[in-house]
Amino acid sequence: MRNGELAQLAHDYANGAETRGEIVIVIAPPSAEAGAVDADTIDALLRRALDRASVKDAVGEIAAATGRPRREIYQRALALKQ
């Protein structure tokens, strides 16, 4: 049994993580800790995402991963692009 963030699990399995039998995915709302992500962490996540994805896709990915509002993440992405 593996637990983790959906994006991380998808990455692991896309890169050859061992699978046996059936896979069941249970998706829950972000934990209370998700809203506590600091600005530096969001910026670091955005920089990595922007290296490989469009602003729209990067914002969606980071908003989903952190539980922060898309508008907030979008504003940070625009600031980083300047």
Side-chain angles (χ1 to χ4, degrees):
M1 182 166 132
R2 292 186 63 186
N3 294 317
E5 297 289 326
L6 189 56
Q8 183 61 48
L9 292 171
H11 177 268
D12 292 347
Y13 287 112
N15 288 311
E18 182 179 359
T19 59
R20 293 184 188 177
E22 296 178 4
I23 295 177
V24 176
I25 299 173
V26 178
I27 301 173
S31 66
E33 297 173 3
V37 177
D38 66 0
D40 291 336
T41 301
I42 290 172
D43 288 354
L45 292 170
L46 269 171
R47 282 186 189 99
R48 285 189 296 210
L50 289 168
D51 283 344
R52 60 179 163 63
S54 69
V55 172
K56 178 183 175 184
D57 291 341
V59 167
E61 177 183 323
I62 304 309
T66 63
R68 305 299 300 168
R70 288 179 65 90
R71 175 176 280 164
E72 176 186 330
I73 303 300
Y74 182 72
Q75 294 299 319
R76 293 298 318 141
L78 291 180
L80 290 174
K81 292 288 278 185
Q82 292 181 354

